[in-house]
Amino acid sequence: MMIDGDKNMSSMGLVIVGAAGRMGQALVRAVHTMDGVHVDGAVERAGSACLGKDAGELAGVGRIKVEITDDPLAAFAKADGVLDFTTPDASVDFAGYAAQARIVHVIGTTGCEAEHEDKIRMAAHHATIVKSGNMSLGVNLLEILVEQAAKALGPNEFDIEVLEMHHKHKVDAPSGTALLLGEAAARGRNIDLDQNSVRSRDGHTGARPSGAIGFATMRGGSVIGDHSVLLAGTGERITLSHHAEDRSIFARGAVTAARWGNGRKPGLYSMQDVLGLSA
Ligand code: NAD
């Protein structure tokens, strides 16, 4: 078996930032078990209790001879790509470092505000970035189905609501996936999501605005990610759903994105591009 920390010229070396997090550990497990890639570095925030630990041991796959450090620049300098499921501020910094190192940067981090998105878009002038609120094949297919359904079923006949549930530790709402599905519905209706979304309801809200795209958020337990898009008409209702049972679906998608982006010209790409699903 290959030890990830040992140099292997034919294999793509990936740095996992946020290596001690829920997704970070899932990424270490995925990269360690997939062909043609190896864990080349593991980075955590300064002050993390996990600095100095072996990334493989922490993720439960045994020692891989990759120590978790708080030095992204040194890790990026010798790698081919970065897998990043951290925080918006950290992802902006990593985009700059990945651009300097000229390596592909896969961003799964959600909860980015407009200022983060702007900075990531700027970095993509010099870097190859693949960013998506959901890296799974299933949700990316669902995105297309939602766009088609929203296009076929107009706002006078069908109301669209996006419902999501995640584990109790999740810090942003609605989820990146809920927003991605809302964007798909808005594209299908040819409307701007920001101008037409209802993100929460409380008290005397009045009747539902026609054409609005509503969001409902639930948090609790260990749910990895449940999403449904409801199209509610008079006398009938369509529900398009996805249930994530294991974080490995996102981790494998991120590795696929890194391989796809390796050596590709700078730009900001999505999982739809990676999977060949974009129009
Ligand atoms: P988590 O809190 O378990 O892990 C985040 C890790 O990032 C932590 O270990 C933290 O210490 C580390 N971190 C923060 N700042 C850092 C820095 N500056 N340098 C290095 N490490 C740093 O969270 P999680 O559940 O793993 O989720 C992480 C992100 O990924 C969230 O935004 C979540 O919504 C998103 N996510 C995306 C997808 C997708 O498919 N796109 C799937 C699941 C989760």
Side-chain angles (χ1 to χ4, degrees):
M1 186 186 15
M2 198 186 87
I3 297 293
D4 297 60
D6 292 337
K7 204 84 187 151
N8 181 329
M9 297 307 284
S10 63
S11 159
M12 186 179 181
L14 296 171
V15 176
I16 293 157
V17 290
R22 281 175 288 269
M23 273 307 301
Q25 293 185 40
L27 288 160
V28 170
R29 288 191 289 274
V31 173
H32 180 65
T33 48
M34 288 171 77
D35 290 336
V37 286
H38 64 276
V39 183
D40 198 59
V43 174
E44 257 298 332
R45 63 184 162 73
S48 164
C50 296
L51 296 179
K53 291 189 177 168
D54 185 272
E57 280 179 348
L58 188 70
V61 294
R63 187 159 180 264
I64 58 171
K65 296 205 315 201
V66 176
E67 199 174 279
I68 300 177
T69 78
D70 60 359
D71 186 353
L73 282 172
F76 289 15
K78 61 187 181 60
D80 302 307
V82 184
L83 306 180
D84 172 4
F85 289 62
T86 57
T87 66
D89 286 338
S91 291
V92 166
D93 289 343
F94 293 139
Y97 302 153
Q100 280 176 40
R102 306 238 176 278
I103 56 177
V104 57
H105 183 198
V106 177
I107 305 177
T109 307
T110 63
C112 290
E113 305 286 347
E115 60 177 302
H116 300 111
E117 301 287 3
D118 285 347
K119 287 177 181 165
I120 288 169
R121 211 172 294 117
M122 291 293 287
H125 289 305
H126 307 286
T128 305
I129 299 178
V130 181
K131 182 173 184 296
S132 173
N134 195 301
M135 300 273 171
S136 77
L137 178 59
V139 161
N140 280 278
L141 183 62
L142 183 65
E143 189 179 343
I144 290 175
L145 299 176
V146 167
E147 183 174 343
Q148 286 177 347
K151 190 173 184 178
L153 308 172
N156 295 330
E157 285 79 36
F158 282 83
D159 300 318
I160 299 179
E161 295 281 311
V162 183
L163 181 66
E164 58 112 333
M165 180 161 187
H166 281 83
H167 56 86
K168 61 187 174 189
H169 303 291
K170 186 162 178 65
V171 292
D172 54 312
S175 71
T177 304
L179 292 170
L180 173 155
L181 294 171
E183 288 286 359
R187 265 198 316 278
R189 291 260 169 102
N190 209 11
I191 57 171
D192 181 69
L193 182 63
D194 289 340
Q195 303 294 317
N196 290 279
S197 68
V198 175
R199 303 274 285 252
S200 65
R201 297 185 180 99
D202 188 22
H204 186 82
T205 61
R208 189 184 198 286
S210 175
I213 296 176
F215 290 84
T217 300
M218 293 184 287
R219 294 286 176 265
S222 58
V223 178
I224 290 175
D226 288 350
H227 293 88
S228 293
V229 178
L230 286 87
L231 296 107
T234 303
E236 61 180 336
R237 197 161 65 241
I238 297 166
T239 306
L240 299 169
S241 294
H242 180 269
H243 302 280
E245 294 175 357
D246 193 309
R247 287 189 175 82
S248 65
I249 59 172
F250 311 125
R252 287 198 307 270
V255 174
T256 302
R259 280 193 188 127
W260 179 90
N262 196 16
R264 200 167 284 267
K265 72 173 172 30
L268 182 56
Y269 301 96
S270 71
M271 274 312 275
Q272 299 279 317
D273 298 317
V274 173
L275 297 169
L277 297 172
S278 50

